[in-house]
Amino acid sequence: MRRKRAVLFLTCVLLCGCGSTKADPAEEDPVAFTVNGEEIGLREWNFYVRMNQMQWEKEMLDAYGDGMWSHEVDEDGTTLAEDLKEQVLDTVCRIHLADQHAEEYGVALDEAKQQEIKERAASFMDDYHEKLLQYAGADETFVYELLSERELSLLTAEASVADYEPEISEDETHREGICYVLISTTGLWDEEGNLEPYTEEEVERRARVAEELCKAARESQSLKAAAEEIGLTPIESSVGISNEGDGQEPQMLDAARLLEVGEISDPVRTEEGWFLVQHTSDYDEEGTKYWREYLTDQAREEEYERLCEAWRAEADIRLNQEVMDQVDVEIVLKELL
């Protein structure tokens, strides 16, 4: 199965160029492809490919080695290089399709936003080595243009679904209050970011701490107070009807749902360590409000995805493959840096 990866934008990091293409702002910019008649030049295509190529190399070069770009990512024989280009093409098309609908939703970049983008473009040029900028074909005007395109597409995305109100039931948004504590058994992180695992003796000691804390919390009827008394940090949070999208430890959440209000769980063993959780209330107002907003945002993102798919299905996209193929995807990170 092909590994789908998030394509990064100009607001993230600059990636340098490689292969045979080095965009020169002074040279004529051949058309790489068109989207509903709008021409996207080789320079923009090259820049987006290079940005993402560098990021992918940073993330995967150690795992795949120097042959990473010829690595096949699916049963059809699609290489990682082809996968990269496919995803970059999709991203650039989405940006331009959204921009083409900006007027429809009353979206434009006001003077304040334009000034903000100019400052970001200047900062962008200051942050990176001149050699990298030249290889990517980047100058301040060009970066400003691409940042503007991207910003306009984001504003259009937001405006296009601003009035969309998904059907979300009270059961889906209802959250109940919990308080939990983690007694880690993994280890401590040093100043260089390396994990120093606990000894077996320390792991056993921490298991005893979990048991003792459970006993003390039940006696006082407050996990929060008992944890704070021994120098641990309790987390006050909430739990819903399912773990989907929650982001908290699922075994802890499962344990919380089995408790009556006020009850405290037995220690729950996880890969991180021992969790204890108390069911503190049958309704958490703040958590419920947050969860409704989260589900609404998620539904609007899904609605925008459907809208983008419709735009893409109706779009007239024409590729100039000879021009696009001028951007070779080869490993250059080690060579340039």
Side-chain angles (χ1 to χ4, degrees), residues 41-328:
L42 172 63
R43 188 180 180 194
E44 181 172 344
W45 167 243
N46 174 70
F47 191 82
Y48 273 104
V49 170
R50 301 317 183 195
M51 288 173 59
N52 289 277
Q53 178 182 352
M54 182 69 77
Q55 186 64 28
W56 286 29
E57 287 178 9
K58 286 181 178 179
E59 295 178 0
M60 295 186 286
L61 184 58
D62 288 343
Y64 289 108
D66 289 351
M68 66 172 283
W69 291 115
S70 61
H71 176 77
E72 295 183 359
V73 296
D74 61 20
E75 295 178 354
D76 296 330
T78 303
T79 66
L80 199 59
E82 293 167 338
D83 190 28
L84 169 69
K85 287 187 175 183
E86 180 182 323
Q87 293 191 44
V88 170
L89 176 62
D90 179 68
T91 296
V92 177
C93 285
R94 286 166 63 97
I95 291 173
H96 286 273
L97 284 169
D99 288 355
Q100 290 169 12
H101 287 83
E103 186 175 351
E104 175 184 342
Y105 294 101
V107 173
L109 300 176
D110 59 24
E111 290 186 10
K113 181 62 70 174
Q114 291 175 32
Q115 182 59 37
E116 176 191 325
I117 296 171
K118 287 180 181 178
E119 293 171 2
R120 286 161 54 192
S123 176
F124 187 93
M125 297 300 294
D126 289 339
D127 287 343
Y128 296 97
H129 194 282
E130 184 178 357
K131 182 177 180 181
L132 298 182
L133 294 169
Q134 290 176 345
Y135 230 89
D139 59 36
E140 191 168 330
T141 300
F142 181 60
V143 171
Y144 171 78
E145 291 172 358
L146 294 188
L147 280 172
S148 297
E149 289 177 356
R150 174 61 179 155
E151 189 66 28
L152 185 62
S153 73
L154 293 173
L155 293 175
T156 302
E158 183 178 350
S160 67
V161 295
D163 296 329
Y164 176 69
E165 294 296 337
E167 295 183 3
I168 302 174
S169 69
E170 291 187 8
D171 286 344
E172 290 178 278
T173 61
H174 181 83
R175 304 284 291 186
E176 301 192 5
I178 60 172
C179 177
Y180 67 87
V181 175
L182 168 63
I183 301 172
S184 173
T185 56
T186 56
L188 295 174
W189 297 92
D190 62 23
E191 295 180 354
E192 297 178 353
N194 300 312
L195 180 65
E196 183 67 30
Y198 288 128
T199 62
E200 291 184 10
E201 291 78 8
E202 178 63 14
V203 171
E204 291 175 0
R205 187 190 73 80
R206 287 174 169 266
R208 292 194 297 272
V209 170
E211 292 289 350
E212 293 166 1
L213 175 59
C214 180
K215 181 179 178 181
R218 285 172 173 170
E219 289 176 353
S220 67
Q221 299 184 347
S222 173
L223 177 61
K224 183 176 184 294
E228 289 176 339
E229 189 171 339
I230 62 173
L232 295 176
T233 303
I235 305 296
E236 294 180 279
S237 186
S238 64
V239 61
I241 58 174
S242 76
N243 295 339
E244 185 176 357
D246 198 295
Q248 301 181 91
E249 167 54 50
Q251 290 176 263
M252 180 272 293
L253 295 174
D254 291 342
R257 292 191 192 91
L258 299 176
L259 302 171
E260 298 293 335
V261 174
E263 287 186 332
I264 298 168
S265 72
D266 292 331
V268 179
R269 181 65 185 269
T270 72
E271 292 183 358
E272 294 182 73
W274 295 99
F275 277 90
L276 280 88
V277 58
Q278 182 173 21
H279 188 174
T280 56
S281 72
D282 58 9
Y283 178 68
D284 184 283
E285 182 176 0
E286 184 177 342
T288 298
K289 179 182 178 182
Y290 169 82
W291 203 247
R292 176 167 289 279
E293 292 173 351
Y294 167 77
L295 293 178
T296 298
D297 289 343
Q298 188 178 56
R300 286 176 176 169
E301 288 177 7
E302 293 170 356
E303 179 64 16
Y304 183 65
E305 286 300 312
R306 288 190 287 270
L307 187 58
C308 280
E309 289 175 7
W311 290 343
R312 183 70 182 263
E314 296 171 358
D316 179 14
I317 298 174
R318 303 188 182 188
L319 309 183
N320 188 341
Q321 203 62 55
E322 286 188 7
V323 173
M324 295 177 72
D325 287 346
Q326 292 179 36
V327 182
D328 296 328

Side-chain angles (χ1 to χ4, degrees), residues 10-24:
L10 286 172
T11 51
C12 300
V13 295
L14 170 69
L15 301 183
C16 63
C18 66
S20 60
T21 300
K22 295 183 182 179
D24 183 347

